[in-house]
Amino acid sequence: MILATVDYFEPWYVQIIKAVVLFAVGLQLVPIILIAERKILGRMQHRFGPNRVGPFGAAQPLADILKLLTKEQFRPKTSIGWLFAVAPVVSILTAVAAFAIIPFGRTQDIFGTKVGLYGVDLSIGPLYLFAFGAIAFYGIMLGGWASGSKYSFLGSMRAAAQLISYEVSQGLALVGVVMTAQTLSLTGIVEAQAGMWYVVPQFVGFLIFLTASFAESNRAPFDLVEADAELVGGYNTEYGGGRFASYYFAEYLNVLVISGVVTTVFFGGWLMPFGIHPPGWVDPFIVLAKMSFFAFLFIWVRATLPRLRYDQLMSFGWKFLLPLATLNALVTAILVVST
């Protein structure tokens, strides 16, 4: 049994520095994934993608962000002012809070001080993740309701039903990993995969978690919350400028969070295959490389699969994913007890 016990306390200034670094890393990774998505989608659709602003179009995300931030703020007369402004903030804060628990490496000695290469190592890691995922729902719900638009409200109601439907399967998919590792600490789960990455014994759980995560993050083919053909733009129809940029930032940061969680719980985090043990400073680059692969997978799926109908979305979640996730947890429990 592996217990992730922390027998040291980081100085307060280390915690502040880690918080600033984590936010800065997330802030830098989002523009990178933005330009990568537009470039990859362009190549997959036989076009160049952004290629005007900066070398090979690399400065296009910066131009987009500056354009949004310099736009005048506005809101409909029928909206509820303070809730309309708070909703994007809720989405971005919950995404950053979830990003904080992704471990990028083991504890390292930096200038004589023990520093964990993660924001925080909790003994209830997955529970913390789902708690903030539940709070993030309010950012979408409030945004649609406070807009005073029936199309925005319909998009937020779709989000409510979709998140509830797929979050159950997503949680059950992690139950198998938790029972196998016998710890809720994400760093403990990584260390438990020293012999074998959990994608092998928990392959079904991995597929369930990844599929449910596409729906949780409102990404294609489960982007019914923002279905432009039916809802104009969904819950964020009435948003523009910096507030829309906040929603946009939160969506892509959630893609990175999901990629980090999949890397951590199924693909060994910073661990390398074949017994390779690189120096500790290499750990964050290993995690980022694995996360990049899953971020590419999100883009690939978006370019490949068409959007589902809403009844197909709900049926797939309740009638297929949920029974399969329950069966996977049950089989894992029997195997763990019997061994």
Side-chain angles (χ1 to χ4, degrees):
M1 182 175 180
I2 298 175
L3 298 175
T5 56
V6 179
D7 56 355
Y8 69 97
F9 294 95
E10 293 177 339
W12 62 270
Y13 60 86
V14 172
Q15 298 177 19
I16 293 176
I17 292 173
K18 285 169 61 173
V20 173
V21 169
L22 275 173
F23 188 80
V25 168
L27 197 64
Q28 300 303 317
L29 288 177
V30 168
I32 292 174
I33 193 175
L34 273 172
I35 188 65
E37 179 172 51
R38 297 178 67 179
K39 281 285 191 181
I40 293 170
L41 288 177
R43 293 297 179 178
M44 289 182 172
Q45 296 165 357
H46 299 287
R47 52 187 178 83
F48 288 106
N51 62 350
R52 292 289 186 270
V53 184
F56 305 102
Q60 185 64 50
L62 180 61
D64 293 339
I65 292 171
L66 289 176
K67 178 188 71 174
L68 289 171
L69 292 180
T70 53
K71 276 189 174 182
E72 181 182 0
Q73 296 290 349
F74 65 91
R75 64 181 180 87
K77 291 183 178 179
T78 55
S79 65
I80 302 173
W82 68 279
L83 286 178
F84 185 81
V86 165
V89 178
V90 173
S91 291
I92 197 170
L93 287 181
T94 52
V96 172
F99 189 70
I101 68 167
I102 296 175
F104 286 89
R106 53 179 69 86
T107 304
Q108 301 294 332
D109 190 293
I110 301 178
F111 300 115
T113 302
K114 296 179 72 175
V115 178
L117 300 184
Y118 42 77
V120 58
D121 180 22
L122 298 174
S123 59
I124 53 168
L127 299 181
Y128 172 96
L129 181 69
F130 285 111
F132 276 99
I135 297 173
F137 150 75
Y138 288 101
I140 296 176
M141 195 68 194
L142 284 176
W145 181 71
S147 295
S149 166
K150 60 183 179 181
Y151 294 107
S152 299
F153 184 63
L154 182 57
S156 63
M157 290 301 294
R158 280 187 171 186
Q162 182 170 317
L163 292 176
I164 292 171
S165 301
Y166 282 84
E167 202 165 59
V168 179
S169 302
Q170 194 179 35
L172 283 173
L174 285 185
V175 168
V177 170
V178 171
M179 286 189 294
T180 306
Q182 300 197 17
T183 178
L184 285 168
S185 166
L186 293 185
T187 55
I189 290 174
V190 172
E191 296 292 352
Q193 299 177 68
M196 178 187 296
W197 292 355
Y198 284 155
V199 67
V200 177
Q202 287 292 317
F203 185 71
V204 175
F206 160 68
L207 292 179
I208 295 170
F209 183 86
L210 191 62
T211 304
S213 296
F214 276 93
E216 281 282 298
S217 56
N218 302 323
R219 296 283 299 184
F222 305 112
D223 55 340
L224 272 299
V225 177
E226 304 169 0
D228 49 350
E230 307 158 26
L231 301 173
V232 184
Y235 65 92
N236 57 18
T237 300
E238 305 296 342
Y239 283 89
R243 291 168 181 166
F244 176 78
S246 298
Y247 270 129
Y248 213 53
F249 179 89
E251 177 182 336
Y252 281 90
L253 187 56
N254 281 326
V255 170
L256 293 173
V257 169
I258 291 167
S259 300
V261 173
V262 172
T263 297
T264 300
V265 300
F266 292 107
F267 282 83
W270 60 84
L271 300 178
M272 292 284 286
F274 311 115
I276 301 173
H277 300 288
W281 61 269
V282 181
D283 292 350
F285 297 100
I286 296 173
V287 174
L288 287 173
K290 294 179 181 179
M291 288 173 60
S292 300
F293 170 77
F294 290 106
F296 170 76
L297 185 62
F298 272 87
I299 300 169
W300 190 3
V301 169
R302 178 182 177 182
T304 305
L305 299 180
R307 179 181 294 143
L308 275 68
R309 293 198 319 263
Y310 197 71
D311 61 308
Q312 294 173 331
L313 174 80
M314 301 303 289
S315 295
F316 183 68
W318 287 111
K319 297 179 182 179
F320 181 76
L321 276 190
L322 181 58
L324 188 60
T326 305
L327 180 62
N328 178 70
L330 180 62
V331 170
T332 302
I334 293 172
L335 292 176
V336 169
V337 171
S338 62
T339 55

